[in-house]
Amino acid sequence: MLLDALSRHLEGLAAERGGVLGVLPGLVADDSPGWIPAADLLREPYEGLLALVDETAARWNAPRHVAAALLWKTYGYWHTMPMVLGWALHRRVPLMRLEDTLVRPSAAGVTVAASRLTVAVLPGDPAAGATTGTSTGTSTGTSTGTTAETPVETIVGTSVETTVGASATAVTTAVVGTTAGTMVETVPEQSGTVVVPDLAAAIRAAILDGQRPFVQALSAVARVGERTLWGSTAEAVAHPLLTLGPYTEAARLLEEIGPPVAGLLAPDGDGYRRRTCCLWITLPDAEPCSSCCVPAARIP
């Protein structure tokens, strides 16, 4: 199957962690109770989101802005991990649209899953022939809130992000091919595959669709900086990949994804160091994370 290697890898991680994993190994939600549509957490006045923040605050005896940063470090990690591991293991990237993402509190902080998935694959992948959808003509982009900034080329059954800084709009459309003569395919609502020329751009579109609304909401309601939160997403890209290879691979993927995660980590020995702080170190008696920027800042 498309994501067997990823599912086996996640099952192994769950076993190593005593079953505590913040994403289901099969990625698609089971029928157990407690799942909350992620989009519901983003409806003002953000009661559901603030409930998760306050639960995190109580767990760590943290002020609200620190709790918001720690909640995001957890949610962002589990949402990002399957995409980057899929990229590293077999260049097949599972994408969870915001409207298809489910979340529930768990021993891992939160657990995320999808009601349905789209898997982005490259043209040479054997699964490319299984892509669903029909050609609707050619396109050089989609005009959903354009600006004069650089367009993002790939839209993969997840979000349309046509310009850096534009609002991401969730639709079931995939842009397939190169900038010149790009074919637009409509992807049915069920899980399927889409062929893309650039998996990093597909990950970026998924991050903007599935994470930016949370980053903006948490920043607004808890007064925590967006750059601080995006630093945790950048770490969520790099950290899982260090178990598979050198940091250079993670650094390359971060640069290929680009904003908002590029530039937020720096190489440090065999790993990396953050350029932002997740705020864990502000808790009483907390030891700094191994990637914390604070110890680095103390070095003359």
Side-chain angles (χ1 to χ4, degrees):
M1 300 296 290
L2 273 174
L3 298 175
D4 280 355
L6 175 59
S7 293
R8 287 193 298 270
H9 189 83
L10 293 175
E11 287 169 358
L13 290 177
E16 292 172 8
R17 298 168 58 93
V20 179
L21 197 71
V23 63
L24 298 185
L27 302 183
V28 176
D30 55 31
D31 58 1
S32 59
W35 291 111
I36 305 165
D40 287 359
L41 300 175
L42 298 170
R43 293 194 173 93
E44 295 187 50
Y46 304 116
E47 293 178 354
L49 183 61
L50 286 172
L52 290 177
V53 172
D54 291 342
E55 180 181 285
T56 305
R59 180 183 305 162
W60 301 113
N61 191 27
R64 179 173 273 187
H65 74 288
V66 175
L70 296 179
L71 171 65
W72 180 249
K73 186 174 184 178
T74 301
Y75 184 103
Y77 187 83
W78 300 122
H79 184 265
T80 303
M81 174 196 264
M83 291 190 286
V84 300
L85 286 178
W87 174 85
L89 291 170
H90 45 32
R91 295 300 191 264
R92 292 177 178 178
V93 176
L95 305 169
M96 296 183 191
R97 296 184 300 174
L98 176 61
E99 66 188 69
D100 298 329
T101 302
L102 303 170
V103 60
R104 66 184 181 194
S106 72
V110 295
T111 294
V112 298
S115 57
R116 53 181 170 256
L117 289 170
T118 300
V119 182
V121 301
L122 293 170
D125 192 304
T131 302
T132 56
T134 55
S135 172
T136 59
T138 60
S139 171
T140 56
T142 306
S143 57
T144 55
T146 57
T147 71
E149 299 189 57
T150 306
V152 177
E153 294 179 25
T154 310
I155 303 156
V156 197
T158 168
S159 70
V160 174
E161 176 62 16
T162 54
T163 56
V164 176
S167 297
T169 304
V171 295
T172 50
T173 302
V175 175
V176 182
T178 59
T179 303
T182 301
M183 299 301 294
V184 179
E185 296 193 82
T186 301
V187 180
E189 289 297 309
Q190 69 271 17
S191 300
T193 58
V194 286
V195 182
V196 300
D198 185 346
L199 290 176
I203 293 172
R204 178 173 185 270
I207 286 173
L208 289 172
D209 170 68
Q211 298 189 19
R212 184 164 63 179
F214 278 100
V215 167
Q216 292 173 334
L218 287 169
S219 180
V221 302
R223 298 186 181 278
V224 59
E226 291 189 19
R227 189 170 184 270
T228 292
L229 302 179
W230 284 125
S232 290
T233 296
E235 184 165 36
V237 172
H239 184 268
L241 297 183
L242 286 184
T243 64
L244 301 175
Y247 175 67
T248 52
E249 279 292 285
R252 177 168 70 89
L253 180 59
L254 282 165
E255 288 305 308
E256 290 178 359
I257 293 172
V261 296
L264 297 183
L265 303 182
D268 184 63
D270 294 332
Y272 61 88
R273 194 165 294 281
R274 289 179 57 140
R275 289 189 165 121
T276 64
C277 182
C278 71
L279 303 185
W280 169 259
I281 198 174
T282 66
L283 299 179
D285 302 319
E287 293 293 326
C289 307
S290 61
S291 61
C292 185
C293 62
V294 176
R298 294 174 180 161
I299 298 174

